[in-house]
Amino acid sequence: MAQRTWTSDRMPSQAGRTVVITGGAGGIGLRAAQAFARHGAQVIIGARGETKARQAVAAIGPDAEWLPLDLADLASVERFAGRLTERGQPIDVLVNCAGVMAIPRRELTVDGFEKHFGTNHLGHFALTGRLRPLLKERVITVSAQSARSATIRPGNLQLERDYAPMRAYGNSKLANILFAVELNHHAPVLSLPVHPGTAPTDIQQYGSNRVTNALGRVIMRAVGQPLEYVADPITFAATTPDATADSYIAPTGPFELGGSPGFVKLPPAALDAGLRATLWRESERLTGVRY
């Protein structure tokens, strides 16, 4: 294995900074929260389940806090953002990390949106918009490798037709990238999409059966990113001085499966300004959140 040129341990001091992380109670979000806290940041995690969230806060350390957040419920998003807005505390880094993956049958959020699109994209779109006055430096939105093979069709954003689990997941992750790139035109912060490579995190909870789930995890462990490094693209994106508005950050090993984080090419769809604008307008209409 090639030597890593950058890990979260090389992150500069985060003392005096506030980092908000969705999905910080488990998986990549928890790893990122722990890394930021080790370097001195105050970390606020947004997550649904109280028991798991409190366990995560204990694992992160004394500078961590949990606030309830369900991205599949726009009212919950508004309450979470409202609590932070009442404090008036600037947010140095917002990490949009929470998500659902490959739900076997088409499900809807509380607000009637297809669950991948509603949770992974619309929830984060609404949250970022509501927190916009507090945002100080960077917004990091976590996508996935599957975005490269995804195709978003404006007339079928929520897959009312031709639903398939991985298609829905991939489309929502491409929407994450489109949103992250377009956000640079709508907020006075640097917005960066990242993907963490391939790793056996707890987002892979769905599958056709136990055998395929187990096989998938074996493959991920064999060729993907070790868990101790899954947060590196996030922490790199949050702190590198070399990032620009057209940057995309991911592992730089073969096929972007693992390796040190760095700059990779955006999917061609992310360069389509018309598609980005269409998705933005529809996201504003669906969520009622305008930037």
Side-chain angles (χ1 to χ4, degrees):
M1 181 180 295
Q3 184 177 2
R4 291 179 180 269
T5 58
W6 200 94
T7 70
S8 293
D9 289 338
R10 296 186 61 181
M11 185 167 42
S13 172
Q14 300 296 293
R17 291 160 62 80
T18 299
V19 180
V20 175
I21 304 179
T22 70
I28 296 169
L30 175 57
R31 298 273 177 165
Q34 290 174 312
F36 282 113
R38 281 198 307 271
H39 287 77
Q42 177 189 359
V43 177
I44 301 170
I45 62 171
R48 288 177 300 169
E50 180 173 359
T51 299
K52 186 176 180 181
R54 294 197 181 282
Q55 291 172 344
V57 166
I60 296 166
D63 292 323
E65 177 185 3
W66 164 66
L67 294 178
L69 173 64
D70 183 354
L71 288 161
D73 181 350
L74 291 179
S76 175
V77 171
E78 185 173 7
R79 287 191 297 270
F80 178 88
R83 292 181 69 174
L84 292 177
T85 300
E86 286 176 4
R87 299 179 184 182
Q89 181 178 1
I91 298 169
D92 295 278
V93 180
L94 170 64
V95 181
N96 293 322
C97 186
V100 296
M101 178 180 180
I103 300 171
R105 288 170 292 280
R106 190 175 185 272
E107 296 181 10
L108 302 181
T109 69
V110 170
D111 304 287
F113 307 130
E114 188 280 316
K115 203 159 192 178
H116 296 88
F117 186 73
T119 304
N120 299 354
H121 169 60
L122 291 177
H124 284 124
F125 180 93
L127 177 65
T128 306
R130 292 193 179 281
L131 292 177
R132 184 179 180 276
L134 301 178
L135 300 178
K136 185 177 178 183
E137 186 177 321
R138 298 191 185 190
V139 175
I140 311 300
T141 300
V142 180
S143 182
Q145 281 179 305
S146 57
R148 290 203 179 278
S149 58
T151 303
I152 287 182
R153 295 182 174 85
N156 193 29
L157 285 175
Q158 300 191 55
L159 296 181
E160 292 92 344
R161 306 181 302 278
D162 304 322
Y163 178 85
M166 285 305 296
R167 180 182 299 135
Y169 176 69
N171 284 10
S172 72
K173 293 286 101 178
L174 177 55
N176 285 153
I177 299 176
L178 295 170
F179 162 66
V181 174
E182 186 66 16
L183 181 60
N184 287 294
H185 302 289
H186 298 268
V189 294
L190 179 60
S191 172
L192 299 169
V194 310
H195 86 70
T198 298
T201 63
D202 53 7
I203 194 173
Q204 291 102 10
Q205 60 180 302
Y206 298 105
S208 56
N209 55 53
R210 292 181 180 179
V211 174
T212 55
N213 263 357
L215 180 59
R217 286 178 174 272
V218 169
I219 293 171
M220 288 178 198
R221 289 191 179 97
V223 302
Q225 189 86 310
L227 282 174
E228 60 264 38
Y229 301 122
V230 293
D232 288 357
I234 294 172
T235 55
F236 179 82
T239 57
T240 177
D242 299 323
T244 61
D246 59 354
S247 294
Y248 185 29
I249 293 167
T252 55
F255 307 106
E256 299 173 13
L257 294 172
S260 297
F263 300 98
V264 300
K265 290 184 178 180
L266 283 162
L271 305 177
D272 186 336
L275 180 60
R276 297 199 311 264
T278 296
L279 177 65
W280 191 276
R281 288 193 299 270
E282 186 66 2
S283 300
E284 287 191 330
R285 184 185 72 82
L286 292 170
T287 63
V289 175
R290 297 186 180 276
Y291 284 64

